[in-house]
Amino acid sequence: ASRKLTLNLGARWDPWFPFIDEADKFAQLWPGQQSTKFPTAPAGVLFPGDNGLSRSMLERAWGNIGPRFGFAYDPEGNGKTSIRGGYGLFYSQVRQQANNQISTNQPFSLKLTVNNPVGGINNPYQGIGNPFPFKAPANAQEAQNYKWVLPLTLTQWNPNMRNAVVQQWNFNVQREFFTSWIGTLAYVGSKGNHLFMTAEMNPGVYGRPGNLNQRRVYAPNFAQVTDQSSRGNSNYHALQASVNKRLTHGLTILANYTWSKLIDDASGDGDQPNNPFNFHQNRGTSNFDIPHRFVVSFIWQLPTLKNSSAPVRHILGGWETNGIVSLQSGRGLNITSGRDNSQSGTNQDRADVVGAWYLSPDRSRDDVIAQWFNPAAFAQNAAGTFGTAGRNIVRSPGDATIDFGAVKLISITESWKLQFRAEFFNLPNRVNLGNPNTIASSAQFGRITAAGAPRVIQMALKLSF
């Protein structure tokens, strides 16, 4: 745009075409509607071609336009200072591995769970009949007469499924100083919507009579219904600072510090909310949230000591050392009850908070290991509830690691060289404590039972010729 200003403008068209199955082995739950493709199917399950549904059973997205904007500004015009910023909107494709679960529904395959069989393990099919060996219908006539095994277990794409949208933006200032040093201060943010997650669409309802399948929302014909949807959301903000010394006089240094916050309601691919009746209850600190992280690394080529005596030159000269120091906060942990007190069948109930759980880490190591947090601050969630403990409210122990390496290249002849390498991982042998037990029903609740790797030293010789 000018001698001092550069602009980068653009847009990406990213249409989404959902996959199909060559044999149309997809299904969805549409309560109250009857399939014409499989007329003996329980009311509520439809297949490609039923009720005008496409072969993918999802809508295509033609209008996915992702704008791009970036700028770089040199306010002084001498290349010493740079002000940069950018924004972009990105569309993500849905992982297609999920189609594997969808294509194994009845009548194409059989997934069967028998809870509390009447005849015990010796006769688990008493009262429902043994459905094995299973044979999938091979033609239209067999499809018309297929005998369904109920209650039906189903995995589906949510009818409103769409590909994820992520917005990313940043603003930073860079400044060169002392000739070889560069400092950067940046604000970085991102926002994700329509992220992939799963949920139990047919949970058990507390208070209804009978076993789990008899208490489900769509009983008695449907058992577990795994709904794969795009309901997830995320929000990230970070202050990032770095200092970089370019390689001069045999030394280069890179130091970075990040202060950030990441909130979402589904961190992993396919995460489920603990309360299938209230997705909002799962919104909280992300599994990946690390509020503080500091990393510094260096490479230092020591002098060759050419003017020293041969023994000193060969033993002490010509070494290259390197190291990495990493310090970071702990991650968030869920406090679960360990019991299905909600009787929903999801087995993800959290505990109730009944007191102050935080304990200072400035205690003896034995005390910290025995109780990282106060276990008496949590209790079993009340029957019919999902617990009052928020998502990831307890923070795990932080981590501090120092790694160091030393390398020396020894020239034997013009074409023969010997390299010696020594590497020290966790050089000070610091005990980085693992996560505590977070299951309220466990006898080890609150206790740390693992730790990170101890000091590891490895040495090697390599001959090059």
Side-chain angles (χ1 to χ4, degrees), residues 80-100:
K80 297 290 185 179
T81 303
S82 177
I83 302 174
R84 304 171 187 267
Y87 169 84
L89 189 148
F90 307 85
Y91 293 89
S92 172
Q93 296 295 318
V94 179
R95 68 176 177 97
Q96 296 309 320
Q97 181 188 6
N99 284 325
N100 296 341

Side-chain angles (χ1 to χ4, degrees), residues 211-286:
N211 61 27
L212 175 60
N213 284 337
Q214 293 169 332
R215 291 187 290 101
R216 293 187 183 273
V217 175
Y218 298 110
N221 288 334
F222 292 91
Q224 183 179 21
V225 177
T226 302
D227 184 55
Q228 301 185 137
S229 70
S230 53
R231 301 183 185 182
N233 300 282
S234 68
N235 201 302
Y236 175 78
H237 299 278
L239 173 68
Q240 300 178 357
S242 69
V243 175
N244 182 13
K245 182 191 181 302
R246 296 169 178 169
L247 181 62
T248 55
H249 306 293
L251 177 64
T252 179
I253 300 174
L254 177 61
N256 296 277
Y257 169 71
T258 300
W259 176 36
S260 64
K261 184 76 171 182
L262 175 56
I263 296 175
D264 60 27
D265 44 22
S267 297
D269 186 4
D271 270 5
Q272 292 192 31
N274 75 306
N275 183 351
F277 299 101
N278 182 5
F279 279 33
H280 183 72
Q281 189 174 341
N282 212 49
R283 179 175 172 81
T285 303
S286 171

